[in-house]
Amino acid sequence: MIDLTALLKEILSVSGLSGFEGPVREIIHKTWEPLTDALSTSKIGSLHGFKKGRGDDPRRRVLISAHMDAIGMMVTEIDDGLMRVTQVGGIDHRILPGQPVTVHGREEMPGVVVQPPAHLLPKSLGDGPVPMKYLFVDVGLRPSEVSKKVRVGDIVAYAQAPLELTGEALAGHTLDNRVSVAATTLCLEALQNRLHDWDLWAVASVQEEETLGGALTSPFDIRPDLAIIIDVCFAKGLGANDWRNLPFGEGVGLGYGPNIHPALYDAFEKKAKALEIPYHRDLMPKMSGTDAMGVQIVAEGIPCMVLGIPLRYMHTPVETVSLRDIRRAGRLMAEYVADLTPDALEQIHWEE
Amino acid sequence: MKSLIKKLVETPGPSGFEYQIRDVIREAIGNTADEIRVDALGSLIAKRGTRSESGMRVMISAHIDEIGLMVTHIDDNGFARFTNIGGINPLTCYGGRVLFMDGTRGVIGMDGIERGKTPKLTDLFIDVGATSKEDCPLKVSDVCGFERPFLDLGKRLVAKSMDDRIAAAIAIEVLRKLESTPHEVHFVFSTQEEVGLRGATTAAFGVDPDVGFAVDVTLSGDTPRRSTKMMTALGDGPAIKVRDSSFIADPRLVDWMVKTAQGAGIPYQLEVLEAGGTDGRAIQMTRSGVPAGCVSIACRYIHSPSEMVDFDDVDNAVKLLVKILSEPIKLD
Amino acid sequence: MSKNREVSTNHVPEIDTQPIQLLEKLCNASAVSGDEHEVRQIVLEEVSPLGDEVKVDALGNVLVKRLGQRKNRVRVMLAAHMDEIGLMIVKKHDNSLFEFDLVGGIDERQLPGKSVLVGRDHLPGVIGAKPIHMTTTKERKNKIPVSSMRIDLGPEIGDRVKPGDRATFATRFEILGPSICAKALDNRFGVAILIELLRHPPDTIDLLLAFTVQEEVGLRGARVAAYTFDPDMAVAVDSTPAYDLPHWDEEDENVQYNTRLDGGPAIYTMDRATIADRRLVYWLAETAQDEGIPWQLRQPGGGGTDAGAIHKVRSGIPSISVSVPSRYAHTAAGIARLDDWANTQRLLQAALARLTPDLLSGEQRG
């Protein structure tokens, strides 16, 4: 049995900002190696894990896609030993002052995000929030050292260590979307002891936070018949209590909207009910904000399902998740995949 | 090379209407390519070399379109209203001169605007000297580009469409200087970049490259107020793009380009651009994904009629690309 | 001055009752982006007996092939989107009122005080508004935000409506003299025109019809449909706004009318998503000229149609759009002329009949 907390801590221990997923890909590669029949890397860095089905050739293919990239920052300028940064992915600049970070230069350097005093900033800012372009990152080294070790384009990652909270809750950075990588891993583990007819492609995709790059490219060669996109969704909590937010730790989100094939939604709802896995309908009236936006429109089009793991404080370094929801998502995916009969695609049609 | 640049920048070719500039480029390429074709969206694709054991299929993309205007309405007094093709800043329009594809010339006027207020495009109009609707030679959907002669300031060059004809000049010069290559290189002179990387999107699908490079201009952070906090500066060498707002360059290619430049003693700078996109994105998202990078030329006053680049940067970009294409490319 | 100009048309095309009844059925059906079921049903009923090959793809597009007879046939894709803008129910509140969100581009000022139909059963509801007596002058200066609007289906609606259900305006199709008044003319016009083309297919070409989904949320259906068809060229058939209304300042000329009612089919040269292939612009304009069909150029500018997705597919597909002009698109009630619809049908019929591979030989030269 995989120790979920240990697994999460391991895949959270390395960076993997959008476009720079190398370090986390290595760890996922190592984790998936015993759980898959073959592993490969796409031309732009997504990890493709293949698990062969037992059905007759040609077998149907199901894709599970979890993006592995993280938000963070990138050095734009070095000024007197201090670095200016821009964002990779979406960051609210108001959470940055005082954050511990790691600068990935010629070597890894711990540092902090610095908010300069008001008298060194434009008067118009007053005591209001300070936009990112006025902030610095300080690694404590002298300017001559910094210019040797850091260059424009180096990445800067959040560095807070994960924290175990009460009630099987875990807090940390980059839980978006490493929790889904963990859930996919649990799914692969569960399938070790389950026969499945369909081929399974588990993909840890790149660049979701910036370009949907992995989602737009990996399915092109894999050409799955169905795709399950797993990502985090918004949990109820501080300042987030409307219809877009699901209860925390009380079940997975089943996406519902134009990115999701309604027959797949029905199939997952039925499966969740049968397994008594708690779930909530996660409404996505327009776009889902996930890799499904890309996967769905690759080539001739791919029917997609979106699964969500409710997460609090998204895109901060203290994102918080319930381990129970990760396990539920992993189990639901495994059961769904295991129960795909050779002719299951016939049920995924438009009502007509 | 300067005469080639002059010819390229003075030819009109707003997005979607690249046929004149395409002819100029076809002529300039002459027999330096093995094969030339034009795709459905009008991109000119010049192929050079065959892929050896150590080689790849490489796409080099330089967009040949420029920003421009399209007529939307001729009013009763013969003034033409227009919409933008690509990102037009109304501030740089007033008093500008325009050249229509059929040779008609005009100026951009404005009225009804208070001093100190920024005009909107709808406050502006084109005046071709007509006295009435009847004698106005324009019709709705006619297209023009800005007109401004090429200015050679020695080390620095100024023109209306350095973005991105300077890249076309670089690509042509690379074709001329490239003696041998282990690669099958497709020089794509792409269309419709300014309206959304459209030409490169379809050209990259057709070429199906193993690796791709865009060549484009980028902002520079070396003007007096430095409102753009970025380190790129004119004259510091070709810029190797790490990212812009449209894509993240493949870090393996970034490293490869840096090493190549260092090894050949070619000056270079690294670029992080917070606004703007390039054909690199279109290449990267093609089919099942393509490692893509971008060589940029730092440029002042982008999308104004007076875009300025440094000639040494241009020269060094040619050297860098020739060097990259002359040897096997290793990604690890 | 051109304002309020009456445009007379020489041709008064006749429309049979059959297409009008079909358009009525199509307009009255609900098909909010992502839930195009009702319109897809109608389309399938109509096209199944007529197409050589009919299929529904992974996104819900209806793809119909009808092959011609001659040699050297151009493979022409025609796309019309089935979806419309609308609402999705997102939450049931304690007082049996339902919160909703918008799907597609809707000006929220169009919503208060409207009747709607909710869900597959078309359950009637209303979007209410506070009595004016209880509003302040200051309040009336601000838009009513969508998040504070509710749909009321009566106190005993119970569980018949649930979050995820879609809603559309309740407007029913009506003929007003020379005009049609209906919801969703954008783009049931296109759907009706494609079906009619299939009834009278030109033998000289392969007709590849795509009844697309999710146009209003990002031209998504058209992209995959074009990938599947891989056509030689494409025409998006849509409906575009006619802003041919007087300027509030009488001194000012309306120079942004987009199109005008009675002006005939609107041929596109450029919108935000596509620069039309000029060879196709001339093809349509010359056909109209030769056949004496009134036509107009849509003013170049904003907006986008399925062509925006189609022309960028694979190695590129020469594309253009042609639209039926219609006033008040994306509101509860659009108004369009029967003549403009009929002339758009005629133009496409005539243009396709004369289409040869020569059109696409050689480079586009502006």
Side-chain angles (χ1 to χ4, degrees):
Chain A
M1 270 295 269
I2 288 173
D3 176 345
L4 180 55
T5 309
L7 170 66
L8 275 168
K9 284 186 175 173
E10 187 175 21
I11 53 179
L12 289 168
S13 66
V14 293
S15 79
L17 267 57
S18 306
F20 303 87
E21 296 87 354
V24 70
R25 181 174 57 240
E26 270 179 41
I27 292 196
I28 301 169
H29 191 285
K30 196 187 75 184
T31 312
W32 285 5
E33 198 147 38
L35 303 175
T36 52
D37 297 318
L39 282 166
S40 57
T41 302
S42 88
K43 284 176 270 187
I44 60 169
S46 295
L47 182 67
H48 296 182
F50 173 69
K51 193 167 180 316
K52 189 165 179 271
R54 62 160 180 180
D56 296 329
D57 281 339
R59 281 176 303 283
R60 296 282 180 196
R61 293 181 289 273
V62 56
L63 167 73
I64 295 180
S65 187
H67 76 85
M68 61 175 159
D69 60 310
I71 57 155
M73 288 161 278
M74 180 181 275
V75 176
T76 57
E77 190 184 20
I78 301 155
D79 195 353
D80 211 14
L82 297 165
M83 288 151 253
R84 292 195 192 276
V85 291
T86 183
Q87 62 183 353
V88 175
I91 295 183
D92 185 340
H93 54 271
R94 295 172 302 177
I95 59 118
L96 283 177
Q99 282 303 345
V101 293
T102 304
V103 177
H104 294 263
R106 309 290 72 63
E107 62 188 59
E108 286 187 13
M109 287 156 277
V112 288
V113 180
V114 176
Q115 174 180 304
H119 65 272
L120 296 178
L121 293 172
K123 283 202 173 60
S124 57
L125 289 178
D127 62 355
V130 179
M132 203 173 300
K133 71 175 192 179
Y134 299 110
L135 302 175
F136 287 110
V137 171
D138 191 341
V139 289
L141 300 177
R142 295 208 166 78
S144 58
E145 280 296 293
V146 171
S147 57
K148 271 183 233 156
K149 290 177 177 165
V150 182
R151 68 188 193 196
V152 168
D154 284 345
I155 55 171
V156 178
Y158 286 145
Q160 288 201 15
L163 272 181
E164 287 175 64
L165 308 181
T166 59
E168 288 207 285
L170 185 79
H173 66 79
T174 321
L175 294 181
D176 172 7
N177 185 31
R178 303 283 164 81
V179 297
S180 297
V181 172
T184 306
T185 309
L186 295 182
C187 163
L188 286 169
E189 186 196 31
L191 288 173
Q192 301 305 306
N193 310 313
R194 293 287 304 270
L195 296 170
H196 51 99
D197 288 326
W198 286 38
D199 284 346
L200 169 63
W201 287 88
V203 167
S205 69
V206 294
Q207 297 190 24
E208 189 268 355
E209 301 287 0
E210 277 286 335
T211 64
L212 300 178
L216 285 165
T217 53
S218 285
F220 191 85
D221 276 353
I222 295 174
R223 289 301 163 96
D225 297 292
L226 300 175
I228 304 163
I229 282 73
I230 177 158
D231 205 335
V232 292
C233 60
F234 300 102
K236 286 191 193 296
L238 196 60
N241 286 297
D242 66 18
W243 59 271
R244 291 168 296 182
N245 306 104
L246 307 188
F248 178 83
E250 292 177 27
V252 297
L254 302 186
Y256 190 89
N259 286 159
I260 293 103
H261 195 300
L264 268 176
Y265 175 88
D266 290 344
F268 268 85
E269 186 170 61
K270 216 169 124 191
K271 183 65 63 190
K273 274 185 181 149
L275 297 167
E276 296 182 352
I277 294 174
Y279 70 91
H280 302 272
R281 185 180 272 208
D282 190 6
L283 298 169
M284 302 165 169
K286 292 178 274 266
M287 290 298 106
S288 62
T290 71
D291 269 348
M293 294 190 290
V295 174
Q296 187 186 31
I297 56 169
V298 168
E300 297 187 13
I302 296 162
C304 287
M305 177 61 197
V306 175
L307 286 189
I309 298 174
L311 182 83
R312 283 181 175 160
Y313 325 123
M314 203 180 289
H315 285 203
T316 74
V318 292
E319 294 176 331
T320 302
V321 73
S322 162
L323 300 186
R324 290 168 197 156
D325 287 336
I326 302 175
R327 288 193 198 100
R328 287 165 178 148
R331 177 159 174 250
L332 180 58
M333 290 192 292
E335 294 288 336
Y336 179 80
V337 171
D339 289 350
L340 280 170
T341 55
D343 62 352
L345 199 60
E346 283 161 34
Q347 275 109 57
I348 308 304
H349 56 73
W350 297 88
E351 319 81 338
E352 291 82 14
Chain B
M1 192 181 179
K2 282 184 180 174
S3 64
L4 171 66
I5 297 172
K6 177 176 160 62
K7 178 83 180 155
L8 289 172
V9 297
E10 289 186 350
T11 306
S15 311
F17 300 86
E18 300 90 352
Y19 53 95
Q20 290 181 22
I21 183 70
R22 190 166 60 228
D23 287 345
V24 169
I25 287 168
R26 191 174 355 225
E27 200 192 316
I29 292 172
N31 54 10
T32 59
D34 302 337
E35 201 181 297
I36 293 181
R37 67 185 174 93
V38 175
D39 83 357
L41 262 61
S43 296
L44 185 140
I45 303 171
K47 188 180 140 203
R48 173 75 177 278
T50 43
R51 183 156 56 167
S52 73
E53 198 116 311
S54 60
M56 290 176 162
R57 190 179 300 128
V58 183
M59 171 165 163
I60 305 278
S61 190
H63 72 87
I64 57 172
D65 62 315
E66 64 185 297
I67 54 171
L69 310 173
M70 189 185 275
V71 174
T72 57
H73 179 70
I74 318 288
D75 72 18
D76 293 339
N77 299 315
F79 296 105
R81 308 301 164 99
F82 59 87
T83 187
N84 58 309
I85 302 177
I88 299 280
N89 182 350
L91 266 182
T92 62
C93 284
Y94 180 57
R97 296 182 181 192
V98 294
L99 174 61
F100 283 86
M101 299 306 288
D102 68 355
T104 303
R105 290 182 155 81
V107 297
I108 298 178
M110 169 176 78
D111 55 25
I113 285 292
E114 291 169 45
R115 261 171 194 282
K117 276 207 172 168
T118 312
K120 296 193 294 288
L121 277 188
T122 47
D123 298 322
L124 302 163
F125 48 83
I126 296 169
D127 185 344
V128 292
T131 57
S132 69
K133 187 170 192 160
E134 284 65 40
D135 77 352
C136 179
L138 302 177
K139 58 184 191 311
V140 171
S141 87
D142 280 351
V143 171
C144 63
F146 288 95
E147 189 183 25
R148 194 67 68 100
F150 173 68
L151 187 59
D152 180 357
L153 301 175
K155 189 168 156 53
R156 305 276 155 96
L157 310 176
V158 182
K160 63 153 172 72
S161 56
M162 281 301 176
D163 175 8
D164 191 25
R165 302 287 164 69
I166 198 63
I170 289 168
I172 292 166
E173 198 67 10
V174 171
L175 256 168
R176 289 174 178 172
K177 295 223 163 111
L178 187 64
E179 284 169 3
S180 72
T181 174
H183 307 293
E184 176 185 312
V185 192
H186 295 254
F187 292 86
V188 173
F189 296 88
S190 68
T191 57
Q192 303 196 28
E193 191 270 356
E194 298 289 358
V195 291
L197 321 177
R198 295 177 193 163
T201 299
T202 60
F205 189 95
V207 169
D208 191 13
D210 300 313
V211 61
F213 300 89
V215 187
D216 210 330
V217 295
T218 189
L219 297 175
S220 72
D222 59 353
T223 42
R225 295 289 301 274
R226 296 198 67 239
S227 56
T228 309
K229 289 278 185 195
M230 62 189 290
M231 286 182 105
T232 39
L234 265 59
D236 282 3
I240 295 169
K241 188 187 290 290
V242 178
R243 72 160 302 176
D244 58 32
S245 57
S246 74
F247 89 123
I248 299 154
D250 195 297
R252 298 168 296 180
L253 272 184
V254 172
D255 286 345
W256 182 254
M257 288 191 275
V258 167
K259 274 184 211 153
T260 306
Q262 284 171 345
I266 300 166
Y268 72 94
Q269 45 188 334
L270 287 162
E271 171 210 351
V272 174
L273 176 64
E274 293 185 67
T278 63
D279 282 349
R281 179 203 159 88
I283 298 169
Q284 190 177 57
M285 298 304 153
T286 301
R287 295 178 184 250
S288 51
V290 177
C294 178
V295 175
S296 300
I297 301 297
C299 180
R300 293 180 185 159
Y301 329 122
I302 290 182
H303 284 202
S304 83
S306 299
E307 299 172 332
M308 180 187 284
V309 299
D310 182 283
F311 189 63
D312 291 334
D313 290 344
V314 176
D315 198 39
N316 284 316
V318 173
K319 285 183 185 145
L320 178 59
L321 283 163
V322 168
K323 186 81 185 154
I324 287 170
L325 293 175
S326 300
E327 294 164 1
I329 297 168
K330 292 201 188 76
L331 300 178
D332 35 42
Chain C
M1 296 288 278
S2 59
K3 64 172 183 163
N4 297 339
R5 177 173 59 177
E6 286 264 330
V7 184
S8 66
T9 52
N10 300 327
H11 298 262
V12 185
E14 287 171 28
I15 302 178
D16 291 340
T17 46
Q18 191 193 18
I20 293 181
Q21 282 168 355
L22 174 62
L23 184 65
E24 173 167 7
K25 205 163 130 191
L26 286 166
C27 287
N28 288 347
S30 300
V32 178
S33 309
D35 184 31
E36 295 86 357
H37 168 77
E38 283 180 33
V39 168
R40 186 166 45 239
Q41 281 292 54
I42 299 169
V43 169
L44 283 171
E45 256 167 51
E46 297 288 332
V47 302
S48 294
L50 302 169
D52 294 332
E53 208 180 285
V54 176
K55 74 164 186 176
V56 179
D57 75 5
L59 271 74
N61 295 311
V62 180
L63 306 181
V64 185
K65 274 190 197 172
R66 204 284 182 182
L67 306 180
Q69 305 294 327
R70 308 258 183 93
K71 278 187 180 162
N72 296 325
R73 301 184 305 268
V74 183
R75 304 176 67 252
V76 187
M77 171 173 176
L78 287 110
H81 69 90
M82 300 187 288
D83 62 315
E84 67 188 289
I85 53 106
L87 315 173
M88 183 191 269
I89 303 289
V90 295
K91 188 173 179 176
K92 183 180 183 179
H93 286 263
D94 294 340
N95 45 12
S96 232
L97 297 178
F98 291 86
E99 191 178 342
F100 58 89
D101 195 18
L102 310 180
V103 180
I106 301 180
D107 180 343
E108 64 261 49
R109 294 172 298 179
Q110 295 286 344
L111 292 172
K114 299 296 184 306
S115 306
V116 294
L117 298 175
V118 183
R120 291 280 165 86
D121 297 330
H122 289 202
L123 299 169
V126 296
I127 303 171
K130 210 192 242 191
I132 185 171
H133 324 70
M134 297 180 183
T135 61
T136 62
T137 317
K138 199 178 156 213
E139 220 176 317
R140 290 197 298 274
K141 283 187 176 150
N142 296 318
K143 288 197 265 194
I144 304 175
V146 176
S147 58
S148 72
M149 292 184 208
R150 298 289 181 267
I151 294 176
D152 186 347
L153 294 103
E156 291 181 10
I157 187 63
D159 292 333
R160 279 181 290 164
V161 168
K162 59 183 187 312
D165 287 353
R166 272 77 163 195
T168 60
F169 292 115
T171 320
R172 295 297 90 180
F173 182 96
E174 244 184 306
I175 300 284
L176 307 176
S179 302
I180 301 162
C181 175
K183 75 159 179 70
L185 286 169
D186 171 8
N187 182 27
R188 304 299 150 68
F189 266 139
V191 172
I193 288 170
L194 260 55
I195 292 171
E196 191 65 15
L197 278 174
L198 188 61
R199 289 211 181 97
H200 311 283
D203 256 354
T204 46
I205 60 165
D206 284 349
L207 205 50
L208 310 172
L209 304 180
F211 299 88
T212 65
V213 298
Q214 300 191 26
E215 191 266 0
E216 299 288 1
V217 291
L219 321 179
R220 298 175 62 79
R223 175 173 149 140
V224 301
Y227 191 92
T228 304
F229 277 147
D230 192 13
D232 298 324
M233 58 174 275
V235 184
V237 185
D238 210 326
S239 180
T240 191
Y243 299 124
D244 53 342
L245 313 173
H247 201 288
W248 72 276
D249 180 349
E250 287 189 18
E251 296 303 306
D252 254 339
E253 185 179 341
N254 174 2
V255 297
Q256 292 180 74
Y257 41 84
N258 193 49
T259 61
R260 297 186 172 105
L261 288 196
D262 283 329
I267 298 172
Y268 286 55
T269 54
M270 180 178 83
D271 60 24
R272 280 295 161 261
T274 321
I275 296 168
D277 190 302
R278 282 277 158 136
R279 295 171 295 188
L280 305 190
V281 176
Y282 295 134
W283 164 61
L284 288 177
E286 281 165 16
T287 305
Q289 215 81 300
D290 294 350
E291 302 285 328
I293 301 168
W295 64 285
Q296 55 187 323
L297 281 178
R298 178 186 182 274
Q299 278 191 300
T305 71
D306 275 344
I310 296 166
H311 81 285
K312 292 189 290 186
V313 162
R314 293 183 184 257
S315 300
I317 296 162
S319 301
I320 191 170
S321 308
V322 58
S323 277
V324 183
S326 158
R327 285 184 182 160
Y328 328 124
H330 291 206
T331 72
I335 289 183
R337 296 278 194 262
L338 285 157
D339 280 358
D340 288 329
W341 171 31
N343 282 320
T344 307
Q345 186 83 49
R346 281 177 68 208
L347 173 60
L348 282 165
Q349 201 79 49
L352 291 171
R354 59 154 73 183
L355 180 57
T356 67
D358 292 345
L359 180 65
L360 298 170
S361 63
E363 288 169 27
Q364 184 189 172
R365 300 207 65 88

